[in-house]
Structures are given as structure tokens and as C-alpha cells.
Amino acid sequence: MSNAPRLTALDALHRSLGATMTDFAGWDMPLRYGSERDEHNAVRTKAGLFDLSHMGEITLTGPEAVKVLDYALVGNISTVGVGRARYTHICREDGGILDDLIVYRLGETEYMVVANASNAQVVLDALTERAAGFDAEVRDDRDAYALIAVQGPESPGILKSLTDADLDGLKYYAGLPGTVAGVPALIARTGYTGEDGFELFVEPKHAVQLWEALTEAGAGVGLVPCGLSCRDTLRLEAGMPLYGHELTTELTPFDAGLGRVVKFEKEGDFVGRAALEAAAERAESKAPRKLVGLIAEGRRVPRAGFPVVADGQVIGEVTSGAPSPTLGKPIAMAYVDASHAAPGTSGVGVDIRGTHEPYEVVALPFYKRQK
């Protein structure tokens, strides 16, 4: 068994562009090409191009594919129309979050589940196990797709120049099959940056051709290649949770402030239902720690795991922290005691190596794009 990192179909291209590469969930991925701040700002103001081929695609087909998903996941997948997508969670029997997912309904009895790279095998194993006894097939399609994202305000124009697919009619969290630059693709209006944008699922053999066509089409409007580093600061500003930081097996969706993804009203049982009903009641009676935003008054950057403090007591913990290029200050997401979670709560700080740095508590997200 080789421990060498997996390479995406765009690996040689990233290296030719001078990317700084990093191991991410067993994949060699571009961290940045130049300045991560410039890449971040390009996505906010123009457009950025990302290789996300490390994400895990799992296809479910068959007459009872939707029944598998309704049983295996906390969302109500039977209400997803063909060509639409839904954000949801897969939980353990005890309600802990195994992963957050996007489920695309590709056809009458065909669904694609996209899992985080670090959890793809766990999700595949769980879905396979939970599909037992149903008339459905679970297929590992991780090697069948490369995934390229174009994100930012200029992305619709860039993509329009390369496809005759109806992008104007494509809503957020929807996907349609089309051809982009002569390449067959599933075109999805999804993303993890807080901007408008698209994710393009294609066969790996077409990835380089598509990347180069997008690069050329975006050259005149400021499109730049972007790495995982700015993807993290973009999602952080947009208040989007990252598995392993804001979401873990120790937390239920209710602990994470995402109870809305759990659909108790759907028919039949689902894995974790009883535990999640109890978690929902707990959340109503005695709110656990709440996920909040923190904005630094100074310059020091908080990191995941740093204690949040008030009056000399630890009242929470940072889950993600970084300098925010858009706000010009360090920001963080943190779980804090409900008593200190209201926006504007005074006296809250982060313990950064023994110094209590003052922070302002704010509601998430830090950044919302102008529609």
C-alpha cells in the first residue's frame, strides 16, 4: 500500500504555474500560486479558478436510491427535484456529524453525493452499509470525476462565453448537464466562497482542456488560479462551516447551529433520529455553546483550539481563525457559552499564547455579497 499522495488530473499544470503544493486529506493539492491575499481578493471582486478534484463523489442509482438517502441522511431528499441540489449532513446513530454533504439529483433515480475529501471513505462505507436491503446501488465515483470551480462576480460571464447551457435559468443549488468548451460537464451553481459561481464535474481526461479554456476566457476580466489557502479564508468570511473545525462527530447539527438541516417531518426512520430529537429538545431548553463570529481589535491571529475567555474564565474555543483580507482584521469562528454569544457582548477575548486579546462578538457571516 503506497503512502504517496494522490494526484489530480491537473497536477502537472499546477506545478507549471508555480503552485505551492501541500498534502490535503491524502491528495497533493495547490495551496497557493502567488499571494493568497491577491487570490482571495480576485474571487471577491473578479473571479478565481479552483481545482477541487479531491472531493469525494458517490453515486446512488436504482428504484430505492432516494429511500436509501432519506434513511442514511438527516435531510428530506425525496423533496429534491431533478436538477436540484441540497446541503445536508450524514450523522452517526448518536447524532454526531460524520460529514456535511451536497446531494445532487441527476435523474429520476440517480443521485450524486459529494463528500469532503477527508471523509469520502467514511461516507462511502456508511452509505454502502445503510443501503443494505434497499433496491439501490452505491458506487464509488471518486476516480470518475475531476472538479473545477470558477467563483466570483465575473464567473457567469466567463462561463457563458464557453457554453450554450442556460446559465441565467440555473438557480443557486441547481445543476444541469451541458458542454463547456467542448467538454461534457455537470454544471452546478454551488460553491464554498460566499460568491456566485459554478462547480464543473468532468471526466479527468478533460480537466486540463477545461482549465485552459476557462483561463483564456477569464484572462480579460481578472480571473486567477486559486489555491486551498484562499478557499479557507473565503469560506470563513462567508461563515461556512468546515468539517473537522466547526463540524465534528462530537457535535450534532443542533450544536453547530444547523438544526435546520434535520428534517423530522420526513417519512420513516433515519439514522440518528432518536438522538437528534433529544438534541433538538436540549437546544431549546438549555442552549449549548453557540457558534459566533469574532473580530479582532488588534493584529494577532487566533487559531483553531485557542481558548475564548471572559472575566478570567474560559467560555469557549476557536474553531477557525485567519486574517480577513476583506475586513482587514483577523477573524475567527468559535463556540462560546450562550451567555456570551449575543453580538456586541463586551469583555470577550482570545487567549493567544497567554495574552488575552480583545475580540468583538458578531453574528455570522462576516461577509455577505451584494445580490
PDB file of all heavy atoms in Angstrom, residues 310-343:
ATOM      1  N   ALA A 310     -13.490  35.252  29.098  1.00  0.00           N
ATOM      2  CA  ALA A 310     -14.180  36.446  29.604  1.00  0.00           C
ATOM      3  C   ALA A 310     -14.076  36.409  31.125  1.00  0.00           C
ATOM      4  O   ALA A 310     -14.281  35.349  31.729  1.00  0.00           O
ATOM      5  CB  ALA A 310     -15.639  36.461  29.164  1.00  0.00           C
ATOM      6  N   ASP A 311     -13.740  37.542  31.735  1.00  0.00           N
ATOM      7  CA  ASP A 311     -13.607  37.628  33.204  1.00  0.00           C
ATOM      8  C   ASP A 311     -12.691  36.536  33.756  1.00  0.00           C
ATOM      9  O   ASP A 311     -12.962  35.938  34.794  1.00  0.00           O
ATOM     10  CB  ASP A 311     -14.983  37.518  33.875  1.00  0.00           C
ATOM     11  CG  ASP A 311     -15.950  38.560  33.355  1.00  0.00           C
ATOM     12  OD1 ASP A 311     -15.502  39.708  33.143  1.00  0.00           O
ATOM     13  OD2 ASP A 311     -17.130  38.223  33.132  1.00  0.00           O
ATOM     14  N   GLY A 312     -11.623  36.251  33.020  1.00  0.00           N
ATOM     15  CA  GLY A 312     -10.656  35.271  33.509  1.00  0.00           C
ATOM     16  C   GLY A 312     -11.095  33.828  33.369  1.00  0.00           C
ATOM     17  O   GLY A 312     -10.356  32.919  33.775  1.00  0.00           O
ATOM     18  N   GLN A 313     -12.276  33.603  32.825  1.00  0.00           N
ATOM     19  CA  GLN A 313     -12.784  32.225  32.665  1.00  0.00           C
ATOM     20  C   GLN A 313     -12.772  31.832  31.188  1.00  0.00           C
ATOM     21  O   GLN A 313     -13.011  32.666  30.313  1.00  0.00           O
ATOM     22  CB  GLN A 313     -14.231  32.122  33.159  1.00  0.00           C
ATOM     23  CG  GLN A 313     -14.426  32.538  34.611  1.00  0.00           C
ATOM     24  CD  GLN A 313     -13.706  31.598  35.574  1.00  0.00           C
ATOM     25  OE1 GLN A 313     -13.858  30.386  35.504  1.00  0.00           O
ATOM     26  NE2 GLN A 313     -12.914  32.174  36.463  1.00  0.00           N
ATOM     27  N   VAL A 314     -12.547  30.543  30.945  1.00  0.00           N
ATOM     28  CA  VAL A 314     -12.669  30.035  29.568  1.00  0.00           C
ATOM     29  C   VAL A 314     -14.152  29.845  29.273  1.00  0.00           C
ATOM     30  O   VAL A 314     -14.860  29.142  29.995  1.00  0.00           O
ATOM     31  CB  VAL A 314     -11.912  28.704  29.400  1.00  0.00           C
ATOM     32  CG1 VAL A 314     -12.191  28.101  28.012  1.00  0.00           C
ATOM     33  CG2 VAL A 314     -10.416  28.910  29.579  1.00  0.00           C
ATOM     34  N   ILE A 315     -14.635  30.510  28.204  1.00  0.00           N
ATOM     35  CA  ILE A 315     -16.071  30.431  27.870  1.00  0.00           C
ATOM     36  C   ILE A 315     -16.298  29.810  26.492  1.00  0.00           C
ATOM     37  O   ILE A 315     -17.423  29.727  26.004  1.00  0.00           O
ATOM     38  CB  ILE A 315     -16.715  31.835  27.890  1.00  0.00           C
ATOM     39  CG1 ILE A 315     -15.946  32.776  26.936  1.00  0.00           C
ATOM     40  CG2 ILE A 315     -16.776  32.399  29.295  1.00  0.00           C
ATOM     41  CD1 ILE A 315     -16.796  33.832  26.286  1.00  0.00           C
ATOM     42  N   GLY A 316     -15.198  29.364  25.857  1.00  0.00           N
ATOM     43  CA  GLY A 316     -15.378  28.770  24.546  1.00  0.00           C
ATOM     44  C   GLY A 316     -14.053  28.445  23.899  1.00  0.00           C
ATOM     45  O   GLY A 316     -12.993  28.498  24.532  1.00  0.00           O
ATOM     46  N   GLU A 317     -14.142  28.101  22.601  1.00  0.00           N
ATOM     47  CA  GLU A 317     -12.944  27.701  21.873  1.00  0.00           C
ATOM     48  C   GLU A 317     -13.052  28.122  20.410  1.00  0.00           C
ATOM     49  O   GLU A 317     -14.106  27.990  19.785  1.00  0.00           O
ATOM     50  CB  GLU A 317     -12.786  26.180  21.958  1.00  0.00           C
ATOM     51  CG  GLU A 317     -11.498  25.669  21.353  1.00  0.00           C
ATOM     52  CD  GLU A 317     -11.337  24.159  21.531  1.00  0.00           C
ATOM     53  OE1 GLU A 317     -11.323  23.688  22.680  1.00  0.00           O
ATOM     54  OE2 GLU A 317     -11.238  23.469  20.497  1.00  0.00           O
ATOM     55  N   VAL A 318     -11.935  28.624  19.879  1.00  0.00           N
ATOM     56  CA  VAL A 318     -11.868  28.987  18.466  1.00  0.00           C
ATOM     57  C   VAL A 318     -11.865  27.713  17.625  1.00  0.00           C
ATOM     58  O   VAL A 318     -11.165  26.750  17.941  1.00  0.00           O
ATOM     59  CB  VAL A 318     -10.592  29.812  18.185  1.00  0.00           C
ATOM     60  CG1 VAL A 318     -10.365  30.003  16.685  1.00  0.00           C
ATOM     61  CG2 VAL A 318     -10.669  31.170  18.889  1.00  0.00           C
ATOM     62  N   THR A 319     -12.664  27.707  16.547  1.00  0.00           N
ATOM     63  CA  THR A 319     -12.673  26.559  15.630  1.00  0.00           C
ATOM     64  C   THR A 319     -11.918  26.863  14.339  1.00  0.00           C
ATOM     65  O   THR A 319     -11.327  25.976  13.744  1.00  0.00           O
ATOM     66  CB  THR A 319     -14.116  26.144  15.286  1.00  0.00           C
ATOM     67  OG1 THR A 319     -14.837  27.298  14.832  1.00  0.00           O
ATOM     68  CG2 THR A 319     -14.822  25.566  16.510  1.00  0.00           C
ATOM     69  N   SER A 320     -11.957  28.109  13.874  1.00  0.00           N
ATOM     70  CA  SER A 320     -11.213  28.534  12.680  1.00  0.00           C
ATOM     71  C   SER A 320     -10.818  29.987  12.881  1.00  0.00           C
ATOM     72  O   SER A 320     -11.616  30.773  13.396  1.00  0.00           O
ATOM     73  CB  SER A 320     -12.090  28.475  11.420  1.00  0.00           C
ATOM     74  OG  SER A 320     -12.536  27.174  11.127  1.00  0.00           O
ATOM     75  N   GLY A 321      -9.608  30.341  12.452  1.00  0.00           N
ATOM     76  CA  GLY A 321      -9.189  31.739  12.551  1.00  0.00           C
ATOM     77  C   GLY A 321      -8.200  32.070  11.449  1.00  0.00           C
ATOM     78  O   GLY A 321      -7.434  31.210  11.020  1.00  0.00           O
ATOM     79  N   ALA A 322      -8.252  33.308  10.968  1.00  0.00           N
ATOM     80  CA  ALA A 322      -7.350  33.739   9.889  1.00  0.00           C
ATOM     81  C   ALA A 322      -7.429  35.251   9.751  1.00  0.00           C
ATOM     82  O   ALA A 322      -8.397  35.874  10.190  1.00  0.00           O
ATOM     83  CB  ALA A 322      -7.754  33.085   8.561  1.00  0.00           C
ATOM     84  N   PRO A 323      -6.432  35.853   9.102  1.00  0.00           N
ATOM     85  CA  PRO A 323      -6.575  37.264   8.740  1.00  0.00           C
ATOM     86  C   PRO A 323      -7.653  37.368   7.655  1.00  0.00           C
ATOM     87  O   PRO A 323      -7.662  36.555   6.734  1.00  0.00           O
ATOM     88  CB  PRO A 323      -5.203  37.634   8.162  1.00  0.00           C
ATOM     89  CG  PRO A 323      -4.297  36.483   8.457  1.00  0.00           C
ATOM     90  CD  PRO A 323      -5.156  35.284   8.643  1.00  0.00           C
ATOM     91  N   SER A 324      -8.555  38.335   7.761  1.00  0.00           N
ATOM     92  CA  SER A 324      -9.591  38.517   6.749  1.00  0.00           C
ATOM     93  C   SER A 324      -9.159  39.609   5.776  1.00  0.00           C
ATOM     94  O   SER A 324      -9.113  40.779   6.148  1.00  0.00           O
ATOM     95  CB  SER A 324     -10.920  38.919   7.404  1.00  0.00           C
ATOM     96  OG  SER A 324     -11.796  39.472   6.446  1.00  0.00           O
ATOM     97  N   PRO A 325      -8.859  39.241   4.525  1.00  0.00           N
ATOM     98  CA  PRO A 325      -8.481  40.268   3.547  1.00  0.00           C
ATOM     99  C   PRO A 325      -9.597  41.288   3.318  1.00  0.00           C
ATOM    100  O   PRO A 325      -9.326  42.472   3.104  1.00  0.00           O
ATOM    101  CB  PRO A 325      -8.208  39.460   2.273  1.00  0.00           C
ATOM    102  CG  PRO A 325      -7.836  38.095   2.763  1.00  0.00           C
ATOM    103  CD  PRO A 325      -8.697  37.881   3.974  1.00  0.00           C
ATOM    104  N   THR A 326     -10.865  40.852   3.376  1.00  0.00           N
ATOM    105  CA  THR A 326     -11.974  41.766   3.100  1.00  0.00           C
ATOM    106  C   THR A 326     -12.187  42.748   4.245  1.00  0.00           C
ATOM    107  O   THR A 326     -12.438  43.927   4.018  1.00  0.00           O
ATOM    108  CB  THR A 326     -13.267  40.960   2.838  1.00  0.00           C
ATOM    109  OG1 THR A 326     -13.005  40.006   1.802  1.00  0.00           O
ATOM    110  CG2 THR A 326     -14.411  41.854   2.410  1.00  0.00           C
ATOM    111  N   LEU A 327     -12.091  42.272   5.493  1.00  0.00           N
ATOM    112  CA  LEU A 327     -12.305  43.145   6.651  1.00  0.00           C
ATOM    113  C   LEU A 327     -11.030  43.862   7.087  1.00  0.00           C
ATOM    114  O   LEU A 327     -11.093  44.849   7.815  1.00  0.00           O
ATOM    115  CB  LEU A 327     -12.857  42.346   7.841  1.00  0.00           C
ATOM    116  CG  LEU A 327     -14.368  42.096   7.870  1.00  0.00           C
ATOM    117  CD1 LEU A 327     -14.821  41.220   6.720  1.00  0.00           C
ATOM    118  CD2 LEU A 327     -14.788  41.449   9.196  1.00  0.00           C
ATOM    119  N   GLY A 328      -9.878  43.330   6.662  1.00  0.00           N
ATOM    120  CA  GLY A 328      -8.616  43.946   7.050  1.00  0.00           C
ATOM    121  C   GLY A 328      -8.240  43.695   8.501  1.00  0.00           C
ATOM    122  O   GLY A 328      -7.400  44.386   9.060  1.00  0.00           O
ATOM    123  N   LYS A 329      -8.865  42.678   9.114  1.00  0.00           N
ATOM    124  CA  LYS A 329      -8.575  42.337  10.518  1.00  0.00           C
ATOM    125  C   LYS A 329      -8.605  40.828  10.679  1.00  0.00           C
ATOM    126  O   LYS A 329      -9.264  40.141   9.886  1.00  0.00           O
ATOM    127  CB  LYS A 329      -9.663  42.912  11.444  1.00  0.00           C
ATOM    128  CG  LYS A 329      -9.753  44.412  11.487  1.00  0.00           C
ATOM    129  CD  LYS A 329     -10.953  44.829  12.315  1.00  0.00           C
ATOM    130  CE  LYS A 329     -11.059  46.353  12.392  1.00  0.00           C
ATOM    131  NZ  LYS A 329     -12.227  46.787  13.156  1.00  0.00           N
ATOM    132  N   PRO A 330      -7.947  40.308  11.729  1.00  0.00           N
ATOM    133  CA  PRO A 330      -8.106  38.883  11.995  1.00  0.00           C
ATOM    134  C   PRO A 330      -9.546  38.570  12.424  1.00  0.00           C
ATOM    135  O   PRO A 330     -10.185  39.371  13.107  1.00  0.00           O
ATOM    136  CB  PRO A 330      -7.137  38.632  13.166  1.00  0.00           C
ATOM    137  CG  PRO A 330      -6.162  39.769  13.118  1.00  0.00           C
ATOM    138  CD  PRO A 330      -6.961  40.939  12.621  1.00  0.00           C
ATOM    139  N   ILE A 331     -10.053  37.400  11.967  1.00  0.00           N
ATOM    140  CA  ILE A 331     -11.395  36.960  12.357  1.00  0.00           C
ATOM    141  C   ILE A 331     -11.333  35.505  12.796  1.00  0.00           C
ATOM    142  O   ILE A 331     -10.372  34.793  12.500  1.00  0.00           O
ATOM    143  CB  ILE A 331     -12.411  37.100  11.197  1.00  0.00           C
ATOM    144  CG1 ILE A 331     -11.964  36.292   9.971  1.00  0.00           C
ATOM    145  CG2 ILE A 331     -12.638  38.559  10.840  1.00  0.00           C
ATOM    146  CD1 ILE A 331     -13.003  36.211   8.851  1.00  0.00           C
ATOM    147  N   ALA A 332     -12.395  35.084  13.479  1.00  0.00           N
ATOM    148  CA  ALA A 332     -12.464  33.690  13.911  1.00  0.00           C
ATOM    149  C   ALA A 332     -13.909  33.262  14.044  1.00  0.00           C
ATOM    150  O   ALA A 332     -14.803  34.091  14.264  1.00  0.00           O
ATOM    151  CB  ALA A 332     -11.758  33.509  15.254  1.00  0.00           C
ATOM    152  N   MET A 333     -14.138  31.952  13.895  1.00  0.00           N
ATOM    153  CA  MET A 333     -15.392  31.361  14.331  1.00  0.00           C
ATOM    154  C   MET A 333     -15.074  30.601  15.609  1.00  0.00           C
ATOM    155  O   MET A 333     -13.992  30.030  15.757  1.00  0.00           O
ATOM    156  CB  MET A 333     -15.969  30.412  13.272  1.00  0.00           C
ATOM    157  CG  MET A 333     -16.592  31.137  12.100  1.00  0.00           C
ATOM    158  SD  MET A 333     -17.800  30.118  11.202  1.00  0.00           S
ATOM    159  CE  MET A 333     -16.774  29.406   9.943  1.00  0.00           C
ATOM    160  N   ALA A 334     -16.012  30.639  16.551  1.00  0.00           N
ATOM    161  CA  ALA A 334     -15.782  29.997  17.843  1.00  0.00           C
ATOM    162  C   ALA A 334     -17.095  29.538  18.448  1.00  0.00           C
ATOM    163  O   ALA A 334     -18.145  30.154  18.210  1.00  0.00           O
ATOM    164  CB  ALA A 334     -15.093  30.972  18.802  1.00  0.00           C
ATOM    165  N   TYR A 335     -17.024  28.455  19.194  1.00  0.00           N
ATOM    166  CA  TYR A 335     -18.167  28.057  20.024  1.00  0.00           C
ATOM    167  C   TYR A 335     -17.986  28.702  21.390  1.00  0.00           C
ATOM    168  O   TYR A 335     -16.949  28.513  22.031  1.00  0.00           O
ATOM    169  CB  TYR A 335     -18.228  26.529  20.162  1.00  0.00           C
ATOM    170  CG  TYR A 335     -18.788  25.847  18.939  1.00  0.00           C
ATOM    171  CD1 TYR A 335     -17.971  25.119  18.080  1.00  0.00           C
ATOM    172  CD2 TYR A 335     -20.147  25.939  18.626  1.00  0.00           C
ATOM    173  CE1 TYR A 335     -18.486  24.504  16.944  1.00  0.00           C
ATOM    174  CE2 TYR A 335     -20.673  25.330  17.496  1.00  0.00           C
ATOM    175  CZ  TYR A 335     -19.841  24.613  16.664  1.00  0.00           C
ATOM    176  OH  TYR A 335     -20.351  24.007  15.545  1.00  0.00           O
ATOM    177  N   VAL A 336     -18.985  29.496  21.815  1.00  0.00           N
ATOM    178  CA  VAL A 336     -18.906  30.149  23.124  1.00  0.00           C
ATOM    179  C   VAL A 336     -20.182  29.887  23.916  1.00  0.00           C
ATOM    180  O   VAL A 336     -21.233  29.591  23.336  1.00  0.00           O
ATOM    181  CB  VAL A 336     -18.676  31.680  22.999  1.00  0.00           C
ATOM    182  CG1 VAL A 336     -17.401  31.982  22.220  1.00  0.00           C
ATOM    183  CG2 VAL A 336     -19.860  32.369  22.350  1.00  0.00           C
ATOM    184  N   ASP A 337     -20.076  30.000  25.229  1.00  0.00           N
ATOM    185  CA  ASP A 337     -21.247  29.829  26.091  1.00  0.00           C
ATOM    186  C   ASP A 337     -22.346  30.792  25.652  1.00  0.00           C
ATOM    187  O   ASP A 337     -22.069  31.944  25.287  1.00  0.00           O
ATOM    188  CB  ASP A 337     -20.887  30.111  27.561  1.00  0.00           C
ATOM    189  CG  ASP A 337     -19.926  29.062  28.126  1.00  0.00           C
ATOM    190  OD1 ASP A 337     -19.756  28.009  27.470  1.00  0.00           O
ATOM    191  OD2 ASP A 337     -19.337  29.303  29.187  1.00  0.00           O
ATOM    192  N   ALA A 338     -23.581  30.319  25.727  1.00  0.00           N
ATOM    193  CA  ALA A 338     -24.725  31.117  25.265  1.00  0.00           C
ATOM    194  C   ALA A 338     -24.771  32.486  25.934  1.00  0.00           C
ATOM    195  O   ALA A 338     -25.189  33.475  25.325  1.00  0.00           O
ATOM    196  CB  ALA A 338     -26.014  30.350  25.511  1.00  0.00           C
ATOM    197  N   SER A 339     -24.296  32.562  27.174  1.00  0.00           N
ATOM    198  CA  SER A 339     -24.338  33.832  27.924  1.00  0.00           C
ATOM    199  C   SER A 339     -23.427  34.898  27.308  1.00  0.00           C
ATOM    200  O   SER A 339     -23.575  36.082  27.596  1.00  0.00           O
ATOM    201  CB  SER A 339     -23.930  33.588  29.381  1.00  0.00           C
ATOM    202  OG  SER A 339     -22.646  32.994  29.424  1.00  0.00           O
ATOM    203  N   HIS A 340     -22.494  34.488  26.478  1.00  0.00           N
ATOM    204  CA  HIS A 340     -21.570  35.441  25.837  1.00  0.00           C
ATOM    205  C   HIS A 340     -21.711  35.454  24.317  1.00  0.00           C
ATOM    206  O   HIS A 340     -20.852  35.979  23.614  1.00  0.00           O
ATOM    207  CB  HIS A 340     -20.116  35.106  26.205  1.00  0.00           C
ATOM    208  CG  HIS A 340     -19.788  35.397  27.633  1.00  0.00           C
ATOM    209  ND1 HIS A 340     -20.108  34.533  28.662  1.00  0.00           N
ATOM    210  CD2 HIS A 340     -19.186  36.464  28.210  1.00  0.00           C
ATOM    211  CE1 HIS A 340     -19.704  35.052  29.805  1.00  0.00           C
ATOM    212  NE2 HIS A 340     -19.145  36.227  29.563  1.00  0.00           N
ATOM    213  N   ALA A 341     -22.797  34.867  23.802  1.00  0.00           N
ATOM    214  CA  ALA A 341     -22.920  34.678  22.351  1.00  0.00           C
ATOM    215  C   ALA A 341     -23.623  35.821  21.627  1.00  0.00           C
ATOM    216  O   ALA A 341     -23.585  35.887  20.401  1.00  0.00           O
ATOM    217  CB  ALA A 341     -23.651  33.369  22.063  1.00  0.00           C
ATOM    218  N   ALA A 342     -24.263  36.730  22.373  1.00  0.00           N
ATOM    219  CA  ALA A 342     -25.002  37.804  21.694  1.00  0.00           C
ATOM    220  C   ALA A 342     -24.031  38.778  21.035  1.00  0.00           C
ATOM    221  O   ALA A 342     -23.016  39.160  21.638  1.00  0.00           O
ATOM    222  CB  ALA A 342     -25.883  38.546  22.690  1.00  0.00           C
ATOM    223  N   PRO A 343     -24.327  39.193  19.794  1.00  0.00           N
ATOM    224  CA  PRO A 343     -23.472  40.178  19.131  1.00  0.00           C
ATOM    225  C   PRO A 343     -23.300  41.419  20.018  1.00  0.00           C
ATOM    226  O   PRO A 343     -24.260  41.889  20.620  1.00  0.00           O
ATOM    227  CB  PRO A 343     -24.252  40.521  17.854  1.00  0.00           C
ATOM    228  CG  PRO A 343     -25.061  39.294  17.565  1.00  0.00           C
ATOM    229  CD  PRO A 343     -25.432  38.741  18.913  1.00  0.00           C
TER     230      PRO A 343
END
